Amino acid sequence: PTIMAASESCRLASALKKEGVPIRSIVVNQVVQESATDKFLANRRADQARALQHLEEDAGLKELQMIKGPLFDLEVRGV
């Protein structure tokens, strides 16, 4: 995830809560797996860790179940 995407999720959750729309989970896609060792991936993982922390600490999101979808080398599409 990116900071921008995390911020958008925080704003959306706040708006939904204000309108009385219940939410229980948040899906976070493209999370770089901890096993990544390449310097680029390590930097990307550190940046994502900051975005994940932002989501975990947000008052409107921290009580939600967080589902992390791993980053794949190809775009995952439905059938």
Side-chain angles (χ1 to χ4, degrees):
T2 63
I3 289 291
M4 184 170 65
S7 295
E8 287 295 321
S9 295
C10 295
R11 283 192 290 274
L12 176 60
S14 177
L16 291 172
K17 189 173 184 177
K18 184 177 179 181
E19 295 296 322
V21 177
I23 53 174
R24 295 187 315 240
S25 300
I26 181 171
V27 176
V28 181
N29 289 313
Q30 299 184 342
V31 176
V32 176
Q33 299 170 347
E34 291 185 33
S35 59
T37 56
D38 183 77
K39 183 178 178 181
F40 169 79
L41 291 177
N43 289 337
R44 176 88 184 258
R45 178 152 170 67
D47 190 48
Q48 288 187 353
R50 286 189 291 274
L52 288 167
Q53 182 178 6
H54 182 69
L55 293 170
E56 291 166 352
E57 293 174 353
D58 182 83
L61 298 177
K62 65 182 178 183
E63 70 257 3
L64 302 178
Q65 174 190 13
M66 183 181 296
I67 302 164
K68 299 175 186 176
L71 177 64
F72 293 100
D73 59 350
L74 298 173
E75 182 179 3
V76 178
R77 299 182 186 183
V79 235

